[in-house]
Amino acid sequence: MPATDRGFLVGVSMSGGHTRRITQNGRSSHHHFDAESVYLRDFCDDYRADLTGAFDFVLVEVSRAALDSACDDRRGARVRSLECVTGMRDQVLHHLALALGAAIERPQQASRLFIDQMSVAITTYLVDNYGGSTSAAPVSSRRLSRLHEGRAKAMLRSRLDGSVSIADIADACSLSRSYFIRAFRETTGKTPLQWLLAERISLARGLLRDSELPLTEVADVCGFADQSHFTRAFAKYEGQPPGVWRRRARTT
DNA sequence: AGATCGCCCCGCCATT
DNA sequence: TGAATGGCGGGGCGAT
């Protein structure tokens, strides 16, 4: 695999009998994996692995953003890399992988909250135990904490009637309005209003596709006070007006 | 954190 | 009658 900026990959061997030859930076090495063996990969590096024997791994991909977020949440210096001795055993990771694997084997029953929390647990554990070089000084993060992010998004969703202002939400997070807007943008990649608009459009797409509601009612349900404004906003976001979008969604 | 200010989102109306 | 488009003013958003 050629190098990419996808972050890191942690592989946890669930049973034994796997062997691989890894070629990286022109060097090759042989590794044997028992149950509970782990390896870590930085997607920044070119990577080639010739696999032999059984392959029974849980693979977890960790983005750099997730790594940064985990570092910020524990108020520590940001970790730049994750490193471990390939093939070393790690009982904790093995158990975490077991729990995660059991949950995602039945996706229809899986609790999104549980999987999210497991992701946080695994990432935090990786930072604590395999965090490599760190930034010299703790980065003063302007990202929202997970608590504030969740609270802000919940308040924005409840704001469909327009009764809650951005200042109210910032207050609820004990932040100034300007700081909150910036932190929200750096956390989600969107300003609060842009994020809310994306939520509304997403809701509208579902109603257009799966219901027979006229546009006026779709607009109302999605928090748009009048149909003309809804049509305009939808067309700007999706590139075509809602009626056209609906007909095309039905025919494809 | 708080003040400022330009911009655009929103709601309303009209028209096709 | 429903959907799409356009104009317009006020107020809140978002950047500084």
Side-chain angles (χ1 to χ4, degrees), chain A residues 9-77:
Chain A
L9 180 76
V10 55
V12 185
S13 181
M14 307 311 287
S15 56
H18 177 74
T19 302
R20 71 171 56 186
R21 186 166 62 122
I22 297 171
T23 307
Q24 224 169 353
N25 304 323
R27 293 182 189 169
S28 287
S29 53
H30 259 100
H31 300 277
H32 180 75
F33 289 83
D34 295 315
E36 300 177 2
S37 294
V38 300
Y39 71 93
L40 269 165
R41 254 192 71 194
D42 186 340
F43 280 115
C44 278
D45 301 323
D46 286 321
Y47 188 87
R48 177 193 169 98
D50 299 304
L51 315 182
T52 51
F55 184 88
D56 183 14
F57 280 71
V58 169
L59 304 178
V60 179
E61 211 172 304
V62 182
S63 69
R64 292 196 177 273
L67 203 63
D68 288 345
S69 178
C71 295
D72 295 342
D73 281 353
R74 57 202 271 289
R75 304 271 180 254

Side-chain angles (χ1 to χ4, degrees), chain A residues 4 54 66 73 85 107 113 129 135 139 149 170 178 185 219 234 241 247:
Chain A
T4 69
D73 281 353
V85 178
L113 181 61
N129 293 275
S135 311
V139 174
E149 183 184 352
S178 58
R185 178 167 49 77
F234 189 95
R247 287 191 287 280

Side-chain angles (χ1 to χ4, degrees), chain A residues 48-112:
Chain A
R48 177 193 169 98
D50 299 304
L51 315 182
T52 51
F55 184 88
D56 183 14
F57 280 71
V58 169
L59 304 178
V60 179
E61 211 172 304
V62 182
S63 69
R64 292 196 177 273
L67 203 63
D68 288 345
S69 178
C71 295
D72 295 342
D73 281 353
R74 57 202 271 289
R75 304 271 180 254
R78 282 200 174 175
V79 164
R80 286 220 204 87
S81 64
L82 296 174
E83 300 157 20
C84 81
V85 178
T86 300
M88 66 178 286
R89 295 174 72 149
D90 187 319
Q91 282 195 334
V92 175
L93 266 184
H94 181 247
H95 281 111
L96 288 170
L98 267 178
L100 192 59
I104 60 182
E105 267 177 7
R106 296 186 193 82
Q108 69 279 11
Q109 293 170 23
S111 153
R112 179 60 197 257

Side-chain angles (χ1 to χ4, degrees), chain A residues 224 226-238 241-242:
Chain A
F224 297 94
D226 75 320
Q227 172 263 325
S228 73
H229 179 229
F230 166 63
T231 294
R232 184 172 12 219
F234 189 95
K236 184 178 178 185
Y237 195 90
E238 288 291 333

Side-chain angles (χ1 to χ4, degrees), chain A residues 95-167:
Chain A
H95 281 111
L96 288 170
L98 267 178
L100 192 59
I104 60 182
E105 267 177 7
R106 296 186 193 82
Q108 69 279 11
Q109 293 170 23
S111 153
R112 179 60 197 257
L113 181 61
F114 176 77
I115 291 175
D116 283 349
Q117 298 289 341
M118 286 297 293
S119 304
V120 173
I122 288 173
T123 308
T124 303
Y125 179 81
L126 291 174
V127 168
D128 284 342
N129 293 275
Y130 299 108
S133 58
T134 58
S135 311
V139 174
S140 61
S141 167
R142 291 183 183 275
R143 293 166 63 89
L144 294 174
S145 69
R146 285 172 193 280
L147 176 67
H148 285 162
E149 183 184 352
R151 181 179 295 167
K153 286 180 176 177
M155 288 183 74
L156 278 172
R157 285 197 192 92
S158 76
R159 187 193 118 107
L160 289 179
D161 59 2
S163 59
V164 183
S165 72
I166 299 298

